[in-house]
Each structure stands twice: as structure tokens, then as C-alpha cells.
Amino acid sequence: MNQKGQTATAYLFLTPFLVVLAVFFCFAFLRTIYYSFTDFNLFDPPKLIGLKPYADVLGDSSFRRALANSLLFAVITTTLQTILSLLMAVALNRKIRGLSFFRAAWYMPSITSSVVITLIFLWLFQQQGVVNYLITQLQSVWPLILTFVLILIAVQVIQVLWEKSRKLPVGYFDPALLAASALIALFVTWGLSAAGVVTAHEVVDTVSRPGQITPFLYQYFADKWLSIGGVQIISVPLMVIIFMNTFTTIPTLMLFFLAGLQNIPTALYEATEIDGATPFQQLMNVTVPMLRPVSFYVITVGLIGTLQMFDQVAVIGNAAPTDTLITLAYYVYANTFKSGVAPVYMASAAAIILAVITLLLVTVQRRFISPDAV
Amino acid sequence: MKRTALSLLSLALLGSAALAQQVTIKINGYGGTDPAIVGDLINKFVKPIVAKDNINVVYEPLQGDYNKALTTLLAAGNAGDLLYLPGETAGGFIATGKLLPLNGLVSTTPFIKSLNSVFTVKGQTYAIAKDFNTLSLVYNKDLFDEAKVAYPNANDTWKSLATKLTAVKKALPSGYYGICLQPGFDRFGAFAYAEGWKQFDSAGKTNLLSKPFVDAFTWYTSLAKDKVGVTPSEISQGWTGGCMQTGKVAVAIEGNWVAGFLKDNAPNLKYGSTLLPKADATGKRGNFLYTVGWALNAGTKNKAAAIRVLNALTSVDAQNYVLSEGLAIPSRTALQNNPFFTKAGAGSENARVVFQGATDGFVSGFNFGPAGADWSKIVDTALASVLSGQKSVKDALASAQADMNKLQSR
């Protein structure tokens, strides 16, 4: 009797969620499947036309580009964000001074709106934006940097050799000597620069002559591609988005890894230390296998999130040519919201294809990284 | 006391009866500055006329992407009784069957014929143009003076204009350009028309490989050679009006909207306006008619009242007001003699040129046909890839035509 009552209570608590799921997911999903076999255009009553929407979608070059972009984006971004967030979690799991500050600071990109971050990236990567400006500056001060580095190496080598000649145990990366070398290199470079022996290049907005350089004005959000054998593989604007997405998602995933790291018994690390394992061997043979369930979750969430990437593409909008950035989620949106009649049947077919691909990818990675295989 | 109460009661009843009879006409239009302008227009010229018929008028702007918002409202049956119908997307909206043909309901004769044709499909007119714009060639007088090159004028051909622009580029320091080139059909298309190109053939198909189109495309993109022409994004601008604002570009191709923009954002810029250059091959110029019309929702429950409001919105008085405020060029033929056009000043000069542009040479409505914006995206992509030096004219047009064939065979 008591158990019966408990079951009813459980169902009662579940009802709001089940209703929302039924209305906004099951109903919508079933309708999308139905529309993907019709000629629905938002206005006329849909008529069944069989597999034609799928044929139309597959024949559309925009869709094929969206598919390629989505898969590339999902695989590259998920790989990058998983590896980098794991490394960051390992770094922030050590007992270092100001740990809570670093954890909070690194988490900032995750709590900032993706729309705002996209706008900032648009600004950074404009033709006359910050990135091009920094590259121009770097090009102009290149002789000074090179001089500094060469002097630093020379002074360091001299110092180490001198110390060694005095039979003192010293390495080439000794921090104290390095600091002294850097200071000497800085002074000598400054002196050479003041004497006019080594000077920075002059940035001039004209045809370059010796000693002058033109500003670096690379157009990131343009129809520019990395091609192999004439086949356009990945566009430059998409690479910018991959960079941005990795930057914003690492902190969230890092938190999952951090939580996972807390659960690894320190005895394991102590045992490997006794066996003489290097930090890299510890990472590969203890940390990574013990984090398998977390990795499974992180990769699954990463794949689903990246396959459905939409907001960044929508915000960048016309700033980059459509084909360079179009993803499956954006393709679905663009084919549903048009001016007047819209090929909703094509959007529906594309949405179903996206769902199937997501399921497939998650299933495939489940076979390789089973959460139970600890 | 009783009598007073009775009379008050009867007054209240009468009032509620009158309220019940009052009809509210809802208008859907653009957001931005339109609510203020149209609100003013409605209060000054529409409400006084229709109030006696117990008609109230409400303007409901659709913020964000107007076309998408209107599509959703029309599909859901919630759109206003009257609505803005943008000329470029009219084809897609007319195909929904949710707009009422105006033939026999509203007279289209007082309005410029080419404007009516933008909203006419199979002999049925679906909207009355509220106002319009065409393209004009806007030039920076100071830059031409500094380069000692004659201003562009109405007799210029593509060749003579290109010579002038090259001379300007050569004479000015680096960082200055001859012309700002929008990588879009919305500007380039006018040049294709000048060569006699037709956007759609009798079967509704588009040929991007026909000689007139290829010639116009080649000329337009050739201006990017040696940086005589520059795209807005290359100088961190969003449109060619922004290029003019920087004072570093000698020429831009824009409509009357640029006058207000320059007045606010570059008040010291000395500029002039002239008609677009003529194609050397045909001796004609081409132009676009950019227009937005007033259309009737087929699902309106107050057809007669909505038509009354539509007539008031396009009345002579209302259109005179729009012109005098420098907002747009009126769509009534009779207003071409309005004294505003002969006033001195860069703004009036531009308005005059824009008005002339509607009837000089091969003029066509800015329209994407039933495929909507997807149609123009194909041309835009081809233009962008050639202007940025990614593709040759031949390769860009070949792949554009392949995409066009696919789009139009769906």
C-alpha cells in the first residue's frame, strides 16, 4: 500500500516534465518525421510525396556543405575541447597558490553569453581588427625580438659554460641564469635600438620597400578555404568559430573533469611514483583510464552540442559568406523561416538526418569509450 | 435624480454600442524608425479621414527580421489587416495565397506603372507602392577636386567612369579608393539590366551565363583590379554608404536613403549625385526600383475599412508629407512636379536623380522571384568570390549557374 502511494507520488512529480517532453519533443519530433515525407510549405496543407524531400536535400549543395561543416566542426571541436579541458583540470587540480582565483578566472568564458563572445570575436577578427593589428605590430618589431632572443641564447650559453668550467652543477634552463641573461639581452637590444643598429620596421600603408612593411590586413570572414587537391575542406571563418567554441566550452568541461579527478584515490599516484613513473605516464596510465566515465559524458555532451551549433553562425550572419559557416542546425532554421512559402519539408528532412547522425556518432563513441569499462 | 441616472445609463449604453461598432485596423510594418514616422503619418493624415467611419488604426511593428516575422504571422493567421509588402520578397508572399488581389478594389492608375508591376503576378496586383527608391551615383566632390578629375555626370558610360575612377585612385594617396563595390545583386543587378539582361525568362528560369550578364559581371568586378574599387568590408564598413562616410572613397552607388545617413553621420562631406553610367554596348542605363507596398491580408474581417485606410495612407497629402520630410520618393506619378525636387542642396539633388532613375533606361523592380532571398545569395556569392580574388569570373559564374539550376528545378 505504502509502495503504491510512493509510485503515484513519483508519477505526480514526473508529470510536468513528461507533459513538456510529450508536447515539445515527442509531438514535434513525430510531426517533423511526417513533414519530411510531404511537400509542406507552411501555408498549403501537406501532401505525402515519399522520399523526394530527402532526395532534394541530398541534392542541395548547401546541405552537403552544411553536413561537411557540421561533422568537421563536431569532430575537431570535441577533440580539442576534451583534451584541453582535461589538461586544464589536471593543472588546476594541483595545490597551487591562488587556486580559487584561477578556477574562477578560467570559468568566466563559460558564463558569458555566446552572443556577446561571438560579437567580440567578430571585432577581434575583422580586417582592421585586433588580431591583424597585433600581427602587424609583431612583423614590425620582429628584428628587435630576434635580436633579443639571439643575445639571450648567446649570454645563457656563455654563462652556463663558465659555470660548468667552475665545476658547478648547472643546466641550460637554470632560472636564475635565465633571468640574468634576459636582463642583459634586454639592455643590449635597447642599446642597439637606440644606436640605430637594429630598428623596428616602419608600418607604411603603401607598396613595401626595404625596411617598410604594409599593414597585415587578412580577411578572416571571407570565402577562404583550406583546400586539398582542389577540394574545399574547411573554411577560415569556420576555423575561427572552432577556436571560439573551444575557448568558451573548455571551462564547463573542465569542471566535470575536476569533479572526476577528486574521486581518483591518491594511493594510485603514490604507487606509480614509487614505481618511478613520470607525470606524463601518470596522466596516461592513471588519470585518463580512471576518468573514463567522465570522458564518456564530456564527449557525448560535446558531440551533441557541437552538432547542433547554431548561435554563432546566426550572430555572424552576413559578415561571412553563408557556405563558409553553414551548419545543419542553421540549414534547418534557414529553410523554415523564409519570406512567404518555405521549403519546410526540406528543413524537416535535414533535421531528421541531423538526429540520425547525432545518434550514430554517440553510439559509435559509446563502443570505444564505454562508461562501464573502468 | 432618477432622471439623471437614467440619462447616464442610456449614454453609457449608447457609448458601448458605438464602441462595439468601432473597427480597429491593425497594420504590420517595419520596426526601427518606422513606428515614429508611420505613427505621425497615421495621426496626421489617416485618423482624421477614417475617424468619421468609426475606424481606429493601430501600427504594430515587427522587430527583427520583418520577412520571417510576417511569414510566421501569416501562417498562423495572426497578421494585421494591412501590411508592408517588401518588393524583393513579394513573390514569396504572393505565392502563399494569403494576400488579397487589389484589382477592382483599389485604383492603381495614379501610381507609377513600373512600381505597380513589382507587385503584379499573373495580371493581379497585390499591393500599392507606398514610396520607392532607385540607385544613384553619389560622389565625393572634394576627392575629385583634389585629384583634378571631372565629376561623374549623366553622360558617363561604364568606360568613361572607369577611366575617371582610375585617375582618382592614381592621384590620391594610398588608403583612398575610386569606388565602393557592394558584393551583392542589390547593386550589381542594375548594371546587368543596363546590358539588356532579363532576370527571368518566360519559363521563370535565370541565365547567368548569357552575354549581357557576363559582360556586366566582368566590368563590375574588373573595378576591383589595382584596388580602384574596394568592398565595404575591406575598409571595415558594412555598406557603401559607410564607405562614403569615411571620406576615403570617391564614389558609391546608393539610393535616397544615403542622403539622410550622410546628413547625420558626415555633415561636412561635400557630395553630388548623378544618374548611373550607361552601358557602352547598349547606350542605356539600368536601375532598380526598391519599393515597399501596402497589401491587404486575405483573412481580414474588415475588408472595407482596411481599403479605406489603405487609400488614406497613399493619398496625395500623405505622400507629399513623406517627400517633404525627406523620407522617400512618393509613388504617385502626379507628384513628380513637387517643388521639393527643384530645391537646392545635396539631399534634393539626390532625390531628383533617384526620381529620374525610375524611368530612365532598363528599370526593373528589386525582386528575387518566388525562391526568395536564396536566389540572390547565389549571385552574391559569385560576386564576393571574384571581388575578393578567390575565383575567376568564368569559374564563379559556372558554379553559380549550377546552383541556380538546382534551386529553380525544385
Side-chain angles (χ1 to χ4, degrees):
Chain A
M1 181 66 197
N2 191 20
Q3 201 155 16
K4 219 176 187 181
Q6 278 181 350
T7 317
T9 314
Y11 278 122
L12 199 68
F13 275 108
L14 281 173
T15 310
F17 173 71
L18 289 174
V19 169
V20 169
L21 194 75
V23 173
F24 293 103
F25 181 75
C26 296
F27 173 69
F29 189 66
L30 292 175
R31 261 181 94 97
T32 309
I33 293 179
Y34 168 63
Y35 285 148
S36 74
F37 294 105
T38 67
D39 63 352
F40 189 49
N41 68 3
L42 280 182
F43 292 93
D44 301 319
K47 275 198 302 276
L48 280 169
I49 52 168
L51 287 169
K52 191 178 178 295
Y54 288 92
D56 280 357
V57 156
L58 292 171
D60 184 2
S61 62
S62 236
F63 171 80
R64 290 199 299 270
R65 193 64 252 171
L67 182 64
N69 280 354
S70 288
L71 289 176
L72 275 169
F73 180 78
V75 172
I76 299 175
T77 311
T78 308
T79 311
L80 280 177
Q81 70 192 18
T82 308
I83 295 172
L84 293 175
S85 56
L86 173 67
L87 292 178
M88 194 171 269
V90 171
L92 288 186
N93 197 36
R94 288 165 185 248
K95 289 185 178 60
I96 52 169
R97 201 185 279 270
L99 183 68
S100 33
F101 164 76
F102 285 117
R103 282 186 184 173
W106 259 287
Y107 199 67
M108 282 299 282
S110 235
I111 53 168
T112 313
S113 148
S114 68
V115 174
V116 173
I117 297 220
T118 310
L119 289 174
I120 292 173
F121 266 69
L122 256 177
W123 170 68
L124 287 175
F125 286 93
Q126 263 182 1
Q127 198 179 19
Q128 296 190 344
V130 176
V131 173
N132 277 340
Y133 173 78
L134 288 178
I135 294 173
T136 306
Q137 294 307 311
L138 203 68
Q139 283 179 335
S140 73
V141 297
W142 184 238
L144 295 177
I145 294 175
L146 195 69
T147 313
F148 172 79
V149 172
L150 287 177
I151 296 172
L152 184 130
I153 294 171
V155 176
Q156 182 75 1
V157 169
I158 293 167
Q159 285 201 88
V160 172
L161 289 178
W162 190 61
E163 294 287 333
K164 278 191 173 168
S165 68
R166 292 166 59 200
K167 307 273 187 238
L168 287 168
V170 67
Y172 278 98
F173 294 98
D174 186 275
L177 293 185
L178 213 53
S181 305
L183 212 61
I184 295 168
L186 195 69
F187 270 114
V188 176
T189 313
W190 178 74
L192 289 174
S193 166
V197 180
V198 183
T199 50
H201 287 306
E202 200 184 338
V203 181
V204 180
D205 183 13
T206 182
V207 184
S208 53
R209 290 190 290 269
Q212 292 185 344
I213 54 156
T214 47
F216 192 76
L217 291 175
Y218 189 77
Q219 265 186 293
Y220 295 91
F221 294 108
D223 199 1
K224 291 186 173 161
W225 295 80
L226 191 78
S227 302
I228 296 176
V231 181
Q232 294 179 330
I233 305 290
I234 187 167
S235 71
V236 174
L238 191 66
M239 288 195 238
V240 173
I241 301 260
I242 288 175
F243 177 42
M244 172 168 70
N245 211 284
T246 311
F247 169 71
T248 51
T249 42
I250 280 178
T252 315
L253 304 180
M254 176 196 75
L255 272 196
F256 299 138
F257 278 126
L258 261 179
L261 284 170
Q262 314 285 321
N263 288 332
I264 301 178
T266 43
L268 281 176
Y269 289 106
E270 286 162 8
T272 52
E273 258 174 47
I274 291 167
D275 289 344
T278 61
F280 181 73
Q281 282 171 327
Q282 282 183 342
L283 177 76
M284 296 312 290
N285 298 316
V286 180
T287 313
V288 171
M290 290 301 285
L291 283 178
R292 222 163 231 248
V294 183
S295 306
F296 174 76
Y297 176 72
V298 164
I299 295 175
T300 308
V301 168
L303 277 177
I304 294 172
T306 50
L307 275 172
Q308 293 176 356
M309 194 269 282
F310 170 80
D311 45 355
Q312 284 100 334
V313 179
V315 172
I316 286 182
N318 290 333
T322 317
D323 267 9
T324 58
L325 283 184
I326 190 168
T327 57
L328 284 179
Y330 190 78
Y331 180 88
V332 171
Y333 166 78
N335 275 316
T336 309
F337 297 98
K338 284 198 175 280
S339 316
V341 286
V344 179
Y345 60 100
M346 285 176 70
S348 306
I352 298 299
I353 294 174
L354 174 61
V356 171
I357 290 172
T358 311
L359 265 175
L360 263 176
L361 276 180
V362 173
T363 317
V364 166
Q365 72 110 356
R366 196 186 162 85
R367 287 189 74 90
F368 288 104
I369 314 170
S370 167
D372 315 317
V374 185
Chain B
M1 187 65 198
K2 236 181 194 178
R3 196 174 282 178
T4 325
L6 261 174
S7 48
L8 273 174
L9 187 71
S10 53
L11 259 176
L13 280 171
L14 268 173
S16 61
L19 271 177
Q21 280 172 6
Q22 194 178 49
V23 173
T24 297
I25 296 298
K26 191 169 89 176
I27 302 174
N28 282 143
Y30 298 154
T33 54
D34 275 39
I37 298 162
V38 182
D40 212 24
L41 191 75
I42 289 170
N43 287 333
K44 280 185 179 154
F45 300 99
V46 180
K47 280 189 175 169
I49 298 173
V50 298
K52 62 178 185 298
D53 299 322
N54 240 343
I55 300 171
N56 185 32
V57 185
V58 182
Y59 184 75
E60 280 193 6
L62 306 182
Q63 300 295 350
D65 190 324
Y66 177 78
N67 288 316
K68 284 174 185 164
L70 182 64
T71 304
T72 318
L73 287 179
L74 276 176
N78 293 331
D81 306 275
L82 271 172
L83 31 102
Y84 276 21
L85 183 63
E88 67 273 22
T89 51
F93 283 115
I94 291 168
T96 64
K98 299 279 180 185
L99 301 180
L100 205 64
L102 300 177
N103 300 47
L105 298 175
V106 180
S107 168
T108 55
T109 31
F111 302 94
I112 297 172
K113 225 176 154 186
S114 52
L115 287 176
N116 292 332
S117 68
V118 174
F119 303 107
T120 304
V121 172
K122 292 177 187 158
Q124 301 275 19
T125 306
Y126 289 85
I128 299 292
K130 71 184 189 75
D131 46 39
F132 77 99
N133 250 297
T134 66
L135 292 173
S136 66
L137 197 137
V138 187
Y139 56 91
N140 183 326
K141 288 183 172 176
D142 284 341
L143 293 189
F144 276 93
D145 288 343
E146 203 179 319
K148 297 189 177 64
V149 176
Y151 295 151
N153 60 55
N155 295 323
D156 270 327
T157 62
W158 291 1
K159 205 172 159 188
S160 67
L161 179 69
T163 312
K164 284 180 182 176
L165 295 176
T166 312
V168 169
K169 169 72 187 166
K170 265 191 188 154
L172 293 176
S174 64
Y176 286 80
Y177 303 93
I179 185 170
C180 202
L181 297 168
Q182 183 88 4
F185 177 73
D186 54 356
R187 300 287 178 277
F188 157 74
F191 294 91
Y193 291 148
E195 282 273 308
W197 176 72
K198 293 266 184 298
Q199 197 175 351
F200 301 104
D201 65 11
S202 54
K205 304 281 182 207
T206 300
N207 186 357
L208 304 177
L209 300 175
S210 65
K211 191 174 180 305
F213 190 89
V214 176
D215 286 352
F217 194 94
T218 309
W219 178 78
Y220 191 82
T221 52
S222 72
L223 291 172
K225 213 174 74 180
D226 300 330
K227 291 281 166 208
V228 169
V230 67
T231 56
S233 68
E234 283 180 88
I235 51 170
S236 294
Q237 295 297 323
W239 64 304
T240 64
C243 296
M244 285 302 284
Q245 184 204 345
T246 64
K248 291 190 167 185
V249 178
V251 164
I253 291 155
E254 285 296 341
N256 191 228
W257 51 80
V258 81
F261 172 79
L262 290 177
K263 197 168 99 185
D264 293 341
N265 296 287
N268 298 323
L269 186 88
K270 281 190 217 142
Y271 71 94
S273 305
T274 186
L275 289 164
L276 297 186
K278 296 174 193 167
D280 296 273
T282 58
K284 298 265 187 190
R285 41 187 135 245
N287 218 325
F288 274 128
L289 283 168
Y290 296 93
T291 184
V292 173
W294 293 108
L296 265 174
N297 183 348
T300 178
K301 291 188 181 85
N302 306 302
K303 197 165 92 178
I307 291 171
R308 256 180 232 147
V309 174
L310 192 155
N311 283 327
L313 281 164
T314 52
S315 66
V316 176
D317 289 343
Q319 293 219 324
N320 262 325
Y321 166 77
V322 169
L323 178 66
S324 63
E325 290 291 304
L327 301 171
I329 313 295
S331 54
R332 281 183 176 265
T333 326
L335 290 177
Q336 56 188 299
N337 297 322
N338 191 298
F340 179 81
F341 287 126
T342 49
K343 259 172 51 179
S348 285
E349 185 192 7
N350 189 266
R352 194 165 56 241
V353 172
V354 165
F355 193 85
Q356 273 179 306
T359 45
D360 192 332
F362 299 121
V363 184
S364 193
F366 181 54
N367 190 312
F368 299 148
D374 284 355
W375 184 96
S376 79
K377 251 180 214 164
I378 293 173
V379 183
D380 297 355
T381 308
L383 278 168
S385 62
V386 179
L387 285 173
S388 64
Q390 299 285 307
K391 279 186 182 171
S392 68
V393 170
K394 203 179 160 197
D395 290 350
L397 288 182
S399 69
Q401 184 63 54
D403 288 344
M404 189 62 84
N405 293 344
K406 267 182 213 149
L407 178 76
Q408 295 189 327
S409 63
R410 261 183 221 151

